[in-house]
Amino acid sequence: MSDPKNILMLAGDGIGPEVMGEVKRIIDWSNAKGDTNFVVEEDLVGGACYDVHGVAVTDATMAKAHAADAVMLGAVGGPKWDDVARENRPEAGLLRLRKEMDLFANLRPAVVFDALIDASSLKPELIKGLDIMIVRELTAGVYFGQPRGEEIRDGVAYGFDTQIYSEPEIDRVARVAFDMAKKRGNRVCSVEKANVMESGVFWRKVVTKLHAADYADVELSHMYADNCAMQLVRAPAQFDVIVTDNLFGDILSDCAAMLTGSLGMLPSASLGTKDANGKTPAMYEPVHGSAPDIQGEGKANPLATILSYSMMLRYSFNLGQQADNVDQAVQNVLGQNLRTADIMSKGMTQLSTQDMGKAVVAELEKLG
Ligand code: IPM
Ligand code: MG
């Protein structure tokens, strides 16, 4: 059996614990089979942590996250914490994990499964075989830029944030995008608002320089973010890899998610820089939120979290074959017309969160 790997599971709020429960089911199965040797530790994040500790993530949990071989996160947030001060809001826990683990490269693949073509709001011919990789910068930009806040200027109240990027911050995420493209369709589309933003002009300059220096063999295009949103719903197949900043990446990845039929299908990986021991800090989470409106009803779709687990197998543990099996199991389950509520359509069989997890394990079992 391989060396044990430590996974920190932070299920979080809302449907987080339910969808994470289905990843636990898969890990239990593959540990029992001897395919993996994952040691899972669970802890609190988000509102669930705030309720116990008064903060959205504790220093002790941060230390565990740094020490773990990989972190899996469910979802954070909910109306229950609407009145909590921003620094302790559930989202602050997620942002602290991203920032302090320096997880600057957020990979958000938007892949359309054939069986789900009809669940998309777009015409089948537009999305058949769609496979886009959004590389979102995750530790800088307006999410973290200083100064930010509210103040009175000449008797008028203002609220403000700062959009700011350094050359190394753009360079390192663009490298990830170019390297990714080389393993896929060899095309990168860099997205900003160079027509109105200084930071957008700068972003384009840095990406162009890097491209000329190290990646001239990859096809590079530039696009304004508003046009990109439009092109994603007009002709999404034109994209291979999209690289963009933190805020545009947040918005465009929600948009890309809906191409695939449901936010409930989109996984993500957030990666940092390899350390001296060869470990790359990593956190895996579904793109969807905590969906408090359906919490505890067994309606949540666990597939985005299960596909995030597959990304963990691939990127953190180099278990490509096992990751392929998980992806294939998901595809097979969908091929058997099994659906959760969010992707339900006529003639399909609706399953609960738990039954969907069981169906995936049953398929894994068949795949051996
Ligand atoms: C995401 C989410 C987060 C973000 C929220 C929950 C802070 O929307 O991961 O896309 O804005 O980054
Ligand atoms: Mg988002």
Side-chain angles (χ1 to χ4, degrees):
M1 197 182 275
S2 50
D3 289 348
K5 300 288 184 196
N6 295 310
I7 298 175
L8 179 65
M9 249 185 206
L10 304 171
D13 308 321
I15 59 172
E18 291 163 72
V19 292
M20 199 60 89
E22 299 317 303
V23 167
K24 274 196 272 177
R25 188 190 301 282
I26 295 175
I27 291 179
D28 287 346
W29 172 83
S30 86
N31 274 352
K33 209 165 152 269
D35 281 356
T36 53
N37 190 357
F38 290 147
V39 179
V40 174
E41 182 171 1
E42 297 182 60
D43 210 337
L44 300 172
V45 74
C49 184
Y50 176 82
D51 287 347
V52 178
H53 301 290
V55 290
V57 66
T58 64
D59 293 346
T61 305
M62 285 305 308
K64 286 185 206 170
H66 284 296
D69 292 300
V71 178
M72 285 215 64
L73 189 132
V76 295
K80 183 178 174 196
W81 303 284
D82 274 352
D83 297 328
V84 174
R86 196 175 53 82
E87 63 270 23
N88 289 328
R89 285 175 63 90
E91 291 77 5
L94 179 59
L95 297 181
R96 181 172 176 199
L97 282 156
R98 289 174 178 173
K99 185 72 177 173
E100 290 183 16
M101 292 175 76
D102 199 21
L103 307 172
F104 66 92
N106 182 216
L107 314 183
R108 297 190 161 188
V111 175
V112 172
F113 291 93
D114 278 346
L116 279 188
I117 280 195
D118 293 321
S120 173
S121 46
L122 266 70
K123 294 196 195 86
E125 61 267 29
L126 289 181
I127 52 157
K128 192 168 170 28
L130 192 78
D131 182 354
I132 300 175
M133 177 65 85
I134 296 186
V135 180
R136 168 188 176 191
E137 199 293 321
L138 202 62
T139 50
V142 76
Y143 272 62
F144 299 97
Q146 295 291 343
R148 56 193 292 154
E150 291 184 21
E151 69 185 30
I152 309 286
R153 295 179 192 170
D154 295 331
V156 179
Y158 287 82
F160 55 94
D161 294 280
T162 300
Q163 164 78 338
I164 181 166
Y165 269 103
S166 69
E167 177 164 5
E169 284 166 345
I170 300 169
D171 185 277
R172 66 179 184 171
V173 75
R175 278 181 196 279
V176 171
F178 283 125
D179 287 336
M180 203 99 229
K182 284 185 165 184
K183 297 187 209 136
R184 301 169 38 102
N186 209 41
R187 289 182 292 125
V188 170
C189 179
S190 170
V191 174
E192 23 63 9
K193 283 281 289 177
N195 52 344
V196 285
M197 296 167 73
E198 294 300 331
S199 58
V201 173
F202 185 66
W203 179 283
R204 190 176 287 215
K205 199 157 60 181
V206 174
V207 172
T208 303
K209 182 174 152 198
L210 172 66
H211 177 248
D214 290 344
Y215 294 98
D217 50 336
V218 178
E219 192 184 313
L220 171 66
S221 60
H222 304 276
M223 198 179 271
Y224 299 142
D226 53 344
N227 185 26
C228 182
M230 193 263 277
Q231 296 298 338
L232 274 173
V233 290
R234 192 190 73 91
Q238 70 186 280
F239 296 107
D240 178 25
V241 174
I242 292 174
V243 63
T244 189
D245 77 11
N246 207 340
L247 183 62
F248 293 140
D250 179 45
I251 297 166
L252 295 173
S253 61
D254 264 31
C255 183
M258 274 318 286
L259 303 175
T260 71
S262 168
L263 257 178
M265 293 300 301
L266 216 72
S268 82
S270 307
L271 308 175
T273 308
K274 199 183 268 188
D275 67 17
N277 306 318
K279 186 181 96 181
T280 302
M283 181 161 78
Y284 300 86
E285 51 173 317
V287 170
H288 65 69
S290 59
D293 52 319
I294 57 164
Q295 169 178 0
E297 293 178 18
K299 283 189 189 161
N301 184 347
L303 295 179
T305 314
I306 290 173
L307 292 169
S308 302
Y309 170 73
S310 156
M311 291 186 87
M312 181 184 84
L313 293 172
R314 204 181 294 284
Y315 293 108
S316 281
F317 303 120
N318 208 13
L319 296 169
Q321 181 59 53
Q322 292 187 42
D324 287 347
N325 281 357
V326 173
D327 296 349
Q328 187 64 50
V330 168
Q331 198 158 319
N332 292 357
V333 164
L334 295 171
Q336 293 156 11
N337 295 342
L338 304 175
R339 301 284 186 273
T340 42
D342 58 313
I343 48 175
M344 184 58 192
S345 61
K346 222 172 132 208
M348 305 288 136
T349 306
Q350 188 169 328
L351 297 185
S352 68
T353 310
Q354 293 74 19
D355 286 343
M356 183 54 97
K358 286 180 197 164
V360 171
V361 171
E363 278 309 307
L364 283 170
E365 197 78 64
K366 285 189 217 160
L367 291 167

